[in-house]
Amino acid sequence: MGNHVLVIEDEPNIVEAIRFILMRDGWDVSTLSDGDRAEDTIRSCRPDVVILDVMLPGRSGLEILAALRADAATRSLPVLMLTAKGQGRDRAEAERIGASRFMSKPFSNTEILASVRALAGV
Amino acid sequence: MPVSALTGGRVRERRLALGQRQADVARAAGISASYLNLIEHNRRRIGPGVLARLADVLGTEAAALAQGAEGILATDLRDAAAGAAGARPELERIEDFIGRFPGWAELLAGQHRRLGHLERSVEALSDRMAHDPHLSAALHEVLSVVSAVRSTAAILAETEEIDPSWRARFHANLHADAERLATGAEALVAYLDVSGEEQEPGIAAPQEELEAWLAGHNWTLAALEPGASPEARAALLAEAGGLASGAARQLARDWLAEAAKDAAAVPMTGLVDAAARVGLDPVLLAQRFGADVIAVFRRLALMPGTKLGVVICDASGTMIFRKPVEGFALPRFGAACPLWPLYTALGRPMTPVQAEVEMSGRSPQRFRTLAFCRPRLTGGFAGPQLAEAAMLILPLPPGTTGTLGVGTSCRICPRPACPARREPSILSESQTGA
């Protein structure tokens, strides 16, 4: 398992904070702010872990997750879904589709780092 | 006709309302005054023959004496019992309860109705969290900004050695996020304040609100008829605009617009004449007016002076319009009896379904029902196929036989061996002690 994390999130300041936390821990971090280019980006840059927000401009996180799980090449790709507290239906749907882990906003830096490490088997 | 323990009280009420003496009524009905006295005080159960004679003398229907307003109260109390967790109300003594403690019975039924309203309020608010796109997006925005603030602040607080350029970016981010959070929170509070005010009064049941308003007009809206003055129509619309909830007002506006179209296609004066000639047959009436059959069902519901009920449902079977008729209890919440011919029609679009039914209850009453379903293709070939089914409910005279047994809904229906049963009845649970 490598150390490449792709963060797909449209909130720039969250992206910046996650990028800082992960880079400080030695991870190579790419970012993307819309859902429409997510699949192509994942296929081209082949991340080891994806952090995926549910609510994105363009395709939603749930649609992207479903597409990833329908493709043999990305079926087992670890995906950490970011949902908002109170959005229980989104979380249930992500679980049904096959999300590897969930994290509710607002999350702590420690939680997100621990989740990425766990998904990458570090 | 089966009679309830309360029939005697209704005989007495009716006699006193007419100002007649007990002895005179008894003589005219062919019974002794002392026997009538016992009947009136619910100390003797009354047979169908005597009931029919008393009804005749008192100028009313036997059914009206056998099941009066207490029938509705009893239905509400059975409904309350169906939702009772843990408690086991004595269902077989509901009528005794109503007779002996009418005030407490009314209070209990009222509390049950209020509970239903509150439960639906909670459900509506939960749905709103999940389905209101504005609220959902606003909450997501606030939580996203809070996430960014939390992560950024933690980085600044917990990282001793941080590159000055990163520090400067994080400070700028925190400032920008604090501004966004303040603006977003204010907008959210303003939105909740306004929508909460609009929603509170009638949040529980917009459809019931509309039906209560129509019932208040005795299901007759002359202002919609062709030839009515624009002022009268405007006044009716304004009155509908005074309903408590926004949802009910919207329902009423839509309903009135459709009712006005129905009235133009099937004017009430013509409908009354035509019904006198061909009977209450929606298909024949629709042919005569060149109108939509379901529109004729809606028009019949508004025909003055008729004792008939109408229910209309959509393709899911959910009732979207209800005009009740005495003795045929309609469920206040949830699904109705699947044996209703309404649902048979729903499964056979464009095929008239006619059936005589007996509504279950302590005093079962019989009805002739006419049901019809037609597809709605508002989106053309590309759109989804919708459907509307309607059922006319006409009371039958006592003594009619060979009818299909139906109920209101499974939970309060006493038919033990019904092939369509979805769940146990509280009435059979009461009998078996389950």
Side-chain angles (χ1 to χ4, degrees):
Chain A
M1 177 69 78
N3 67 341
H4 182 197
V5 179
L6 173 63
V7 181
I8 308 175
E9 161 70 65
D10 64 323
E11 178 55 52
N13 295 353
I14 290 183
V15 171
E16 195 140 271
I18 292 176
R19 192 153 68 96
F20 180 87
I21 298 158
L22 293 178
M23 283 171 60
R24 190 176 58 183
D25 199 50
W27 297 88
D28 180 15
V29 181
S30 307
T31 64
L32 188 65
S33 60
D34 73 85
D36 287 334
R37 292 183 292 132
E39 278 180 78
D40 289 343
T41 306
I42 288 168
R43 291 200 176 92
S44 61
C45 76
R46 296 180 162 275
D48 299 294
V49 175
V50 173
I51 297 176
L52 179 60
D53 189 23
V54 166
M55 206 177 275
L56 289 168
R59 298 187 81 189
S60 78
L62 293 174
E63 288 175 290
I64 296 164
L65 178 64
L68 294 176
R69 292 304 181 237
D71 184 342
T74 52
R75 190 164 294 149
S76 57
L77 176 65
V79 176
L80 169 60
M81 294 294 295
L82 299 182
T83 61
K85 278 196 190 302
Q87 306 290 314
R89 292 181 191 207
D90 283 346
R91 184 170 173 141
E93 183 63 7
E95 190 167 19
R96 188 187 67 76
I97 296 171
S100 312
R101 275 199 176 215
F102 306 92
M103 191 153 292
S104 295
K105 295 177 180 177
F107 47 79
S108 75
N109 296 345
T110 314
E111 284 173 330
I112 203 154
L113 189 57
S115 289
V116 170
R117 284 177 178 171
L119 287 173
V122 177
Chain B
M1 171 180 298
V3 293
S4 80
L6 300 168
T7 303
R10 282 189 287 272
V11 170
R12 179 179 172 79
E13 277 175 22
R14 176 73 183 168
R15 177 180 63 75
L16 292 174
L18 295 173
Q20 294 195 26
R21 293 173 53 227
Q22 206 172 45
D24 296 338
V25 171
R27 190 181 314 109
I31 57 176
S32 70
S34 59
Y35 184 48
L36 178 57
N37 189 51
L38 291 171
I39 287 173
E40 286 191 355
H41 289 88
N42 297 316
R43 291 179 186 162
R44 289 288 183 279
R45 290 189 76 83
I46 182 170
V50 173
L51 179 66
R53 292 204 298 278
L54 280 171
D56 193 37
V57 171
L58 295 170
T60 185
E61 299 287 327
L65 294 176
Q67 187 180 35
E70 292 88 350
I72 298 165
L73 190 55
T75 301
D76 278 350
L77 289 176
R78 272 193 285 274
D79 215 21
R88 286 193 183 159
E90 295 83 359
L91 292 163
E92 68 284 358
R93 300 190 62 189
I94 278 183
E95 291 195 340
D96 287 345
F97 178 59
I98 295 170
R100 293 178 64 190
F101 305 105
W104 282 107
E106 188 58 55
L107 175 66
L108 179 58
Q111 295 284 352
H112 171 63
R113 287 192 288 270
R114 175 74 179 145
L115 187 61
H117 281 229
L118 291 172
E119 283 176 348
R120 278 175 292 160
S121 298
V122 170
E123 194 179 332
L125 288 169
S126 300
D127 277 355
R128 197 169 159 218
M129 280 287 286
H131 299 302
D132 182 333
H134 182 88
L135 184 60
S136 179
L139 287 171
H140 189 266
E141 158 82 3
V142 167
L143 286 169
S144 290
V145 179
V146 168
S147 291
V149 168
R150 186 180 185 187
S151 288
T152 306
I155 289 168
L156 288 171
E158 294 163 6
T159 310
E160 290 179 5
E161 296 292 328
I162 188 166
D163 183 273
S165 64
W166 274 108
R167 184 188 301 278
R169 281 158 68 179
F170 284 142
H171 278 152
N173 289 351
L174 273 182
H175 178 67
D177 284 338
E179 291 292 318
R180 277 179 61 195
L181 199 53
T183 308
E186 280 175 16
L188 189 57
V189 168
Y191 174 74
L192 289 173
D193 268 358
V194 172
S195 55
E197 281 167 16
E198 281 178 353
Q199 198 167 351
E200 179 57 27
I203 189 171
Q207 193 186 344
E208 282 189 341
E209 226 184 302
L210 170 62
E211 288 163 0
W213 180 68
L214 290 171
H217 282 271
N218 209 19
W219 302 91
T220 301
L221 300 172
L224 295 179
E225 296 303 314
S229 70
E231 291 78 15
R233 192 166 294 194
L236 187 66
L237 283 170
E239 193 189 319
L243 290 175
S245 71
R249 290 193 291 275
Q250 182 63 51
L251 274 182
R253 277 194 293 273
D254 294 346
W255 194 90
L256 287 171
E258 190 168 54
K261 282 186 201 163
D262 290 349
V266 187
M268 193 53 77
T269 48
L271 179 65
V272 171
D273 288 346
R277 291 170 196 274
V278 303
L280 295 173
D281 183 322
V283 172
L284 288 180
L285 291 168
Q287 287 168 359
R288 182 167 281 235
F289 287 94
D292 172 51
V293 178
I294 301 292
V296 171
F297 275 90
R298 287 193 295 264
R299 292 300 283 159
L300 288 171
L302 303 183
M303 199 158 80
T306 50
K307 287 184 179 175
L308 56 84
V310 172
V311 288
I312 300 178
C313 73
D314 65 14
S316 73
T318 303
M319 278 180 277
I320 55 176
F321 178 76
R322 297 173 299 192
K323 183 201 173 193
V325 60
E326 191 175 312
F328 196 102
L330 306 173
R332 288 173 64 84
F333 317 108
C337 170
L339 293 178
W340 284 10
L342 176 74
Y343 300 120
T344 310
L346 193 59
R348 294 186 215 157
M350 304 306 289
T351 307
V353 175
Q354 186 172 203
E356 290 182 357
V357 302
E358 181 183 83
M359 175 54 77
S360 65
R362 289 292 293 268
S363 306
Q365 293 188 48
R366 297 181 177 87
F367 299 86
R368 178 169 168 248
T369 59
L370 304 169
F372 189 79
C373 168
R374 64 131 168 74
R376 287 179 57 219
L377 303 168
T378 51
F381 274 79
Q385 178 175 321
L386 308 175
E388 257 181 339
M391 180 169 76
L392 200 61
I393 308 163
L394 304 155
L396 283 171
T400 313
T401 56
T403 52
L404 167 70
V406 301
T408 296
S409 66
C410 288
R411 203 67 181 129
I412 57 171
C413 176
R415 300 183 191 282
C418 175
R421 180 166 291 289
R422 287 186 295 263
E423 58 182 333
S425 165
I426 56 162
L427 303 173
S428 57
E429 280 173 8
S430 161
Q431 284 157 11
T432 60

